[in-house]
Amino acid sequence: MVLLEEFHFLHNDCGDSKYFLAIHSDCDPQNVNNTFQGMQIVAMMVGHFFFDGALSKTNQLGGPSPLTLRYMGAKYTPLIRDDFEYWRLVTPIFLHANIMHLAMNLFFLSQVGYTFELRWGSWQIALLFLLSGISGDMFSAIGNPGVDSVGASGCLFGLLGADIVYMYINWDFIPKPLAQCEMCIICGLLLLNAMSGGSSNTIDNYAHFGGFVGGAVASFSLVKLLRPEEEPRKDLYRKGGLIGTLAIWISFFLALYLFPAE
């Protein structure tokens, strides 16, 4: 998947303006993405070799057993709600059901993660990744309360949602053909994933949707404004992202305890 790089605004001596396609950032685009990828690989290896041996007989696709995944921190609503194990909203991000599951997520992250890190910065993409994953696990905990769930797909959907917001708030400052092309690519990816998710009972669509919503909302506070001095709504965007993220978290805990699902 090829995504657009960051646009910068230039002024020439005549006062005219133009954009050019380039990458300029103070961050190393490999820092955050390599860290997340490494943590996910290590978690899979621990599940394999420390708990189950090289391959679990109960997982034909090459991964830890369901019991091992729960022990390592899979999202499981009864334990989150009744035993207050809220850390299970974070640990599933770094766990995967099998080798194929891990490979697909690592491939996706390697394709888009570096570009997004260059656009928004290392700390910004780290926060977006984690907030999207937590939001996805929150939605999954409410929508699929009796199912163990693992994976970073919610994080990746959140990054796509953040990119849509990035283009929305900078639409006037990005060349239209390029912005429209990238928007079509992202919408196509979302449509394909929605179709595949609807045809399989092993895909946690609640986590995907929750990650997308959480990433999109948080991104109003985190993604870069290309021309902040020309955006009168910049303060509204920043405050709205923070308020929206807090609203998601508060809504989750209200739903978890006031309307418990078995």
Side-chain angles (χ1 to χ4, degrees), residues 216-222 235-246:
V217 171
S219 66
F220 279 99
S221 294
L222 294 172
D235 292 336
L236 178 63
Y237 289 149
R238 299 317 190 198
K239 294 177 182 178
L242 177 60
I243 294 172
T245 299
L246 291 175

Side-chain angles (χ1 to χ4, degrees), residues 207-230:
H208 292 180
F209 178 73
F212 177 82
V213 172
V217 171
S219 66
F220 279 99
S221 294
L222 294 172
V223 298
K224 184 177 181 179
L225 289 168
L226 295 180
R227 294 298 305 272
E229 69 278 4
E230 294 186 14

Side-chain angles (χ1 to χ4, degrees), residues 180-244:
Q180 291 168 356
C181 177
E182 183 167 337
M183 186 70 79
C184 288
I185 292 174
I186 293 177
C187 291
L189 284 173
L190 293 173
L191 180 60
L192 287 175
N193 278 277
M195 293 172 61
S196 62
S199 62
S200 174
N201 57 6
T202 62
I203 296 178
D204 192 344
N205 293 298
Y206 286 99
H208 292 180
F209 178 73
F212 177 82
V213 172
V217 171
S219 66
F220 279 99
S221 294
L222 294 172
V223 298
K224 184 177 181 179
L225 289 168
L226 295 180
R227 294 298 305 272
E229 69 278 4
E230 294 186 14
E231 179 50 73
R233 295 167 294 183
K234 60 181 180 181
D235 292 336
L236 178 63
Y237 289 149
R238 299 317 190 198
K239 294 177 182 178
L242 177 60
I243 294 172

Side-chain angles (χ1 to χ4, degrees), residues 28-42 106 109-110 113-114 117:
D28 181 349
Q30 297 184 355
N31 287 342
V32 172
N33 287 280
N34 285 352
T35 299
F36 285 138
Q37 292 177 22
M39 292 174 69
Q40 292 167 4
I41 292 173
V42 168
L106 290 181
L109 184 59
S110 69
Y114 296 134
E117 188 171 350

Side-chain angles (χ1 to χ4, degrees), residues 129-144:
F129 189 90
L130 292 173
L131 289 173
S132 299
I134 293 171
S135 178
D137 289 331
M138 287 178 173
F139 275 66
S140 178
I142 301 301
N144 285 324

Side-chain angles (χ1 to χ4, degrees), residues 3-256:
L3 295 178
L4 308 181
E5 310 301 346
E6 183 177 344
F7 288 99
H8 292 264
F9 198 79
L10 297 178
H11 293 273
N12 60 26
D13 295 335
C14 299
D16 296 328
S17 304
K18 64 179 180 179
Y19 293 95
F20 72 104
L21 195 61
I23 298 176
H24 293 286
S25 177
D26 295 330
C27 72
D28 181 349
Q30 297 184 355
N31 287 342
V32 172
N33 287 280
N34 285 352
T35 299
F36 285 138
Q37 292 177 22
M39 292 174 69
Q40 292 167 4
I41 292 173
V42 168
M44 174 67 80
M45 293 175 64
V46 169
H48 272 316
F49 298 104
F50 186 77
F51 291 102
D52 288 325
L55 292 174
S56 170
K57 294 181 179 179
T58 60
N59 192 330
Q60 298 180 353
L61 295 178
S65 66
L67 184 60
T68 294
L69 289 172
R70 183 180 295 183
Y71 182 81
M72 293 180 67
K75 180 238 77 189
Y76 187 60
T77 303
L79 293 177
I80 297 173
R81 180 185 62 231
D82 301 331
D83 295 344
F84 310 107
E85 295 184 0
Y86 301 127
W87 49 270
R88 289 183 180 273
L89 298 172
V90 179
T91 49
I93 297 172
F94 304 104
L95 300 173
H96 288 80
N98 52 66
I99 294 176
M100 182 60 70
H101 186 204
L102 174 65
M104 291 175 63
N105 280 349
L106 290 181
F107 174 77
F108 187 94
L109 184 59
S110 69
Q111 293 299 298
V112 304
Y114 296 134
T115 298
F116 292 160
E117 188 171 350
L118 283 167
R119 284 181 176 177
W120 309 325
S122 296
W123 285 108
Q124 288 86 344
I125 196 173
L127 283 173
L128 282 170
F129 189 90
L130 292 173
L131 289 173
S132 299
I134 293 171
S135 178
D137 289 331
M138 287 178 173
F139 275 66
S140 178
I142 301 301
N144 285 324
V147 178
D148 294 288
S149 180
V150 295
S153 298
C155 306
L156 304 180
F157 272 82
L159 294 181
L160 291 180
D163 194 41
I164 291 177
V165 171
Y166 168 78
M167 287 187 290
Y168 166 74
I169 64 178
N170 292 294
W171 193 259
D172 293 336
F173 311 118
I174 301 176
K176 295 301 182 291
L178 297 176
Q180 291 168 356
C181 177
E182 183 167 337
M183 186 70 79
C184 288
I185 292 174
I186 293 177
C187 291
L189 284 173
L190 293 173
L191 180 60
L192 287 175
N193 278 277
M195 293 172 61
S196 62
S199 62
S200 174
N201 57 6
T202 62
I203 296 178
D204 192 344
N205 293 298
Y206 286 99
H208 292 180
F209 178 73
F212 177 82
V213 172
V217 171
S219 66
F220 279 99
S221 294
L222 294 172
V223 298
K224 184 177 181 179
L225 289 168
L226 295 180
R227 294 298 305 272
E229 69 278 4
E230 294 186 14
E231 179 50 73
R233 295 167 294 183
K234 60 181 180 181
D235 292 336
L236 178 63
Y237 289 149
R238 299 317 190 198
K239 294 177 182 178
L242 177 60
I243 294 172
T245 299
L246 291 175
I248 291 175
W249 285 54
I250 293 172
S251 298
F252 164 72
F253 284 104
L254 289 176
L256 186 67

